[in-house]
Amino acid sequence: MSTQPEAPDFTSLLRPVVRESSVSEVAKRLLDHLSEGNLKPGTRLPAERQLADALGVARSSVRGALSALDVLGIIEIRPGSGSYVREGTSEFLPRAINWGLMLGQRRTQDLVEVRTFMEGMSARLAADRASREDVERLEQHLERMREAGTDVKAFIEADIAFHLETAHIARNTVLSDILHSIRALLQVWMERAGDIEGTVSGTLHEHGAVLDAIRAGDPEGADAAMAEHMRLASDRLRLSLSGTDEQGAGE
């Protein structure tokens, strides 16, 4: 029977965060300890409130950092139990660090800029290559977005599925893999943007325009519609980033 590794003295390991981006600094601090061998696979991390108190940040910053690490497979969040370091984390760390997990506003905006061009290329290729069955799958993802209503998590899942389907229809595996990686790193910020007023109605309209162009076999139109969606989505993302450290300060 396996035993859970003994947790280190987090009081001595963690110091108050003083950098501008609390979310990225919390993630970086935990990654530092992982790379130094202080946190072994299977180690249970302290509760959100304990981490927040030790680091001197809002719980929302801790939650955002843990979500980012969970998305990347570095930790596992078990509802009702806590957050645990995953097996095989040490092999993943160099790749995660190279991708820039510790996303401050500048790095996040750079990723958004790259994603904008690649999503446009994906839509353009999809419009040129989509079959009737491909279009039907996109329609299903858009319908799932409509049905999600106020369920932000379900809405974002359907939104991501729409984009992944578009990349699949483009039939370019390199493009698809890169976009998948970028979305994984941005997902925690996408969830924040999902709470901004007008996100659901605006995103539905923008995706509908992309779908119409792909259905019509119009590469130029699909590229333009996706570019407009990326521009507006980027505005919403920047708005969410501007309030990163203020959100949840009263928790």
Side-chain angles (χ1 to χ4, degrees):
M1 178 174 145
S2 62
T3 58
Q4 182 178 313
E6 182 178 351
D9 180 4
F10 284 98
T11 302
S12 63
L13 288 177
L14 300 175
R15 309 178 305 282
V17 167
V18 295
R19 290 180 58 178
E20 179 181 352
S21 176
S22 296
V23 172
S24 61
E25 179 62 11
V26 170
K28 184 178 185 301
R29 191 69 56 79
L30 293 173
L31 273 177
D32 286 344
H33 293 306
L34 282 164
S35 61
E36 292 166 6
N38 295 325
L39 302 179
K40 305 295 183 184
T43 298
R44 184 180 185 277
L45 300 180
E48 283 182 8
R49 185 176 295 280
Q50 185 180 346
L51 282 171
D53 290 344
L55 294 167
V57 298
R59 286 182 65 186
S60 59
S61 295
V62 171
R63 190 176 305 121
L66 294 177
S67 294
L69 294 174
D70 182 39
V71 166
L72 289 168
I74 291 173
I75 67 169
E76 177 186 6
I77 298 177
R78 304 174 190 171
S81 178
S83 301
Y84 296 82
V85 179
R86 286 183 182 270
E87 298 287 341
T89 296
S90 58
E91 290 78 10
F92 186 84
L93 282 176
R95 183 154 49 97
I97 292 171
N98 287 336
W99 263 107
L101 170 64
M102 293 73 75
L103 296 178
Q105 290 194 25
R106 179 67 260 171
R107 184 67 62 84
T108 301
Q109 289 166 6
D110 287 346
L111 274 175
V112 168
E113 192 173 76
V114 171
R115 182 193 175 197
T116 297
F117 286 104
M118 302 195 80
E119 291 281 8
M121 184 187 300
S122 176
R124 174 182 288 271
L125 291 174
D128 189 50
R129 299 171 178 176
S131 66
R132 180 179 299 178
E133 292 75 17
D134 292 331
V135 171
E136 288 175 354
R137 289 196 302 275
L138 280 178
E139 291 171 341
Q140 290 168 6
H141 294 311
L142 186 59
E143 184 58 31
R144 282 177 53 211
M145 291 172 66
R146 292 193 185 97
E147 293 173 350
T150 58
D151 186 337
V152 174
K153 183 177 180 181
F155 183 85
I156 290 173
E157 287 177 353
D159 183 339
I160 291 172
F162 182 98
H163 284 272
L164 290 176
E165 191 69 62
T166 302
H168 174 72
I169 295 169
R171 293 173 175 82
N172 185 304
T173 57
V174 173
L175 179 63
S176 180
D177 288 346
I178 293 173
L179 280 171
H180 183 79
S181 297
I182 292 174
R183 285 191 204 97
L185 290 174
L186 290 175
Q187 185 167 350
V188 63
W189 302 112
M190 292 166 65
E191 290 172 358
R192 289 175 180 272
D195 290 327
I196 294 175
E197 185 177 355
T199 292
V200 171
S201 59
T203 303
L204 281 172
H205 175 75
E206 294 151 26
H207 282 70
V210 173
L211 174 58
D212 288 344
I214 292 175
R215 185 191 291 115
D218 178 6
E220 293 287 344
D223 192 350
M226 184 63 82
E228 178 66 1
H229 167 49
M230 288 290 100
R231 183 184 69 79
L232 295 171
S234 296
D235 288 345
R236 292 188 287 265
L237 182 59
R238 278 191 288 271
L239 184 58
S240 73
L241 283 169
S242 68
T244 293
D245 288 328
E246 288 76 17
Q247 291 179 7
E251 291 182 359

